[in-house]
Amino acid sequence: MSLLDALNSLDQINWFVSILIGIAISVVGNLITPAAKDLLNKQSEKRINEKIKHLEQVKEEINNYAANPLRLISYVNESLLQMFVLFAFANVLNFIKYFTDPLYLLTQMITVMLYYYAAMIALKTLSTCKKVRDINKQTTLINEEIKKQKSN
């Protein structure tokens, strides 16, 4: 047997092995597909139910604030105090950086995180106030979204 004959027989064996592996992969894929589909459907249903629950909580929250304006004022005041405390800590950290050069980067990172968290509180508070101000529109939008999620 020459070298060329040996290479030709190797080529035929590679095709045969490739076909067997391809068949095995397709059989395994067909067996796994229903289980994967069920898993994805369960996760999708779970996300939809979580979103519906969140929307109902938002609707209840804005209805409570609209029914009791003092609670809304208290919420806004609490948010302002939280932001004030965060800004105070951030400013203290900015002041510390002048005395401790080795901790400069760390204090800057913490300062940025405090400012970011304060901004997120402000945005959430503004969003809640806007929803309470336009409660009829928001309730309608939330109800439509819940219906849409339930129909999917």
Side-chain angles (χ1 to χ4, degrees):
M1 181 187 257
S2 70
L3 182 62
L4 190 57
D5 290 336
L7 288 175
N8 284 337
S9 68
L10 251 173
D11 189 36
Q12 291 171 353
I13 293 173
N14 285 341
W15 277 104
F16 182 69
V17 170
S18 297
I19 289 172
L20 286 179
I21 291 174
I23 290 171
I25 288 174
S26 85
V27 168
V28 169
N30 286 331
L31 292 174
I32 291 176
T33 299
K37 198 183 252 187
D38 290 341
L39 179 66
L40 290 174
N41 284 339
K42 285 179 186 175
Q43 289 177 348
S44 177
E45 288 176 21
K46 184 179 176 183
R47 276 194 303 267
I48 289 171
N49 290 337
E50 287 174 358
K51 184 164 186 172
I52 289 171
K53 184 179 176 184
H54 173 71
L55 289 169
E56 288 172 346
Q57 287 173 345
V58 168
K59 185 170 83 171
E60 181 181 341
E61 179 184 24
I62 63 173
N63 283 330
N64 286 338
Y65 285 140
N68 190 350
L70 289 177
R71 285 190 65 209
L72 178 63
I73 292 169
S74 175
Y75 169 70
V76 170
N77 287 336
E78 181 182 332
S79 297
L80 288 171
L81 286 174
Q82 286 176 348
M83 288 183 290
F84 175 76
V85 168
L86 290 171
F87 283 137
F89 282 138
N91 285 327
V92 166
L93 286 174
N94 271 333
F95 186 69
I96 288 175
K97 75 179 180 189
Y98 294 113
F99 299 111
T100 57
D101 280 337
L103 296 177
Y104 177 74
L105 182 62
L106 178 64
T107 59
Q108 285 301 300
M109 289 171 46
I110 294 172
T111 301
V112 167
M113 289 185 338
L114 290 172
Y115 283 138
Y116 174 79
Y117 188 63
M120 291 298 102
I121 291 172
L123 289 174
K124 183 178 185 266
T125 304
L126 290 172
S127 174
T128 301
C129 289
K130 181 181 177 193
K131 288 175 185 174
V132 171
R133 187 181 64 226
D134 302 329
I135 189 164
N136 293 332
K137 178 181 173 185
Q138 289 299 318
T139 304
T140 303
L141 289 173
I142 290 172
N143 288 335
E144 288 174 0
E145 184 65 26
I146 290 172
K147 286 179 188 174
K148 179 181 168 186
Q149 292 296 323
K150 286 182 179 178
S151 68
N152 289 337

